[in-house]
Structures are given as C-alpha cells and as structure tokens.
Amino acid sequence: MESRGIYMSTDRAKVKQYGDELLKRNRELTGVMERWKQTVRADDVEQFTAFKRRIDQFIEFRKELVRRAVDISPAAGREWGDNDANRAPRTQLSNDLEALARIYNERTVEAAALGDQGRICSRSDLAL
C-alpha cells in the first residue's frame, strides 16, 4: 500500500510519509527473512537462497523508489516503480511465495497426520 501511496501522491510531504512507512516495512521484512533463514532445513536451502535473493532485490527496489520519489520528485518515483519492467520481479516473488506456501502447507498436513497417529497409538497402549 505504501508503494501505491507513493505512486499516487504528488505532494512531497505525503510521499515522504509513505516512503518512511515503506522503509519501515523493509526493515521488518529483513528481520523476518533473518529469522526464517535460521529455520530453513538443509533440503530447502537452495530454494530459500533464490527466494531470499528476490526479497533482497525487492527491498533494494523499494529503497530506490523512496529515494527517487523523495530526492528527485514524486513523478520520478512513479516512473521508476510503476511499469512492466519492475512489475515482473514482483510477480516472480509472488510465485515464489506461493510455491513455498505449498511446501510448508504439505509439511503441516504431514505433521498433523503424524500427530494423529501418535495419539491413536498412545490410546491403544492404554487400552491394553
């Protein structure tokens, strides 16, 4: 939403307000990625590394968007960010997120099934 605010605003004060929020979200995203990196399984490292690279590009893109919109002009920010060339990496990032969500969802279902089996086994032992 902050990016959209930058694209739609012509008032520098408003653009700066959206830009400050966008940079705050960048810092939050960086923190999430660092915490996530610590939990990545060995068999996910390659996929996570590619995903993190795209996240880093996304963060850099947003930094540059704010810089251009604040330091040059709101129109320069809009020109930089609101175009097909910069939309493609964001689309790929969305695809990455969907793929990772599927993987983690499958693992959640598997873990729940194992938990159910464990409960069934432990009840069976008590009945004997």
Side-chain angles (χ1 to χ4, degrees):
M1 292 305 297
E2 290 84 7
S3 295
R4 184 69 48 208
I6 291 171
Y7 298 154
M8 303 303 289
S9 297
T10 56
D11 176 59
R12 280 185 185 266
K14 248 333 187 192
V15 168
K16 180 161 179 10
Q17 179 182 354
Y18 286 117
D20 289 346
E21 283 299 311
L22 190 61
L23 295 175
K24 177 182 171 185
R25 301 287 174 246
N26 272 359
R27 289 188 297 276
E28 291 170 356
L29 183 55
T30 298
V32 167
M33 293 306 295
E34 286 304 313
R35 288 187 301 278
W36 192 353
K37 181 180 176 182
Q38 295 171 10
T39 65
V40 173
R41 294 180 357 182
D43 54 338
D44 293 336
V45 169
E46 186 177 327
Q47 185 173 12
F48 180 81
T49 301
F51 173 67
K52 184 170 182 325
R53 211 170 314 137
R54 275 196 260 287
I55 288 287
D56 291 343
Q57 290 170 341
F58 180 70
I59 288 170
E60 287 304 314
F61 160 78
R62 289 165 50 143
K63 282 182 191 176
E64 181 63 11
L65 169 63
V66 172
R67 188 195 71 75
R68 286 173 184 251
V70 172
D71 293 348
I72 301 171
S73 71
R78 186 172 39 260
E79 180 182 337
W80 166 255
D82 196 15
N83 60 62
D84 289 339
N86 283 319
R87 208 168 283 117
R90 291 190 304 266
T91 299
Q92 182 58 48
L93 184 56
S94 292
N95 293 340
D96 289 344
L97 283 168
E98 289 172 8
L100 286 167
R102 281 191 300 277
I103 289 169
Y104 286 113
N105 185 55
E106 288 172 15
R107 289 181 185 162
T108 301
V109 169
E110 290 171 6
L114 286 172
D116 289 343
Q117 288 175 358
R119 281 189 292 282
I120 291 168
C121 288
S122 66
R123 287 184 192 137
S124 297
D125 289 345
L126 291 175
L128 295 175

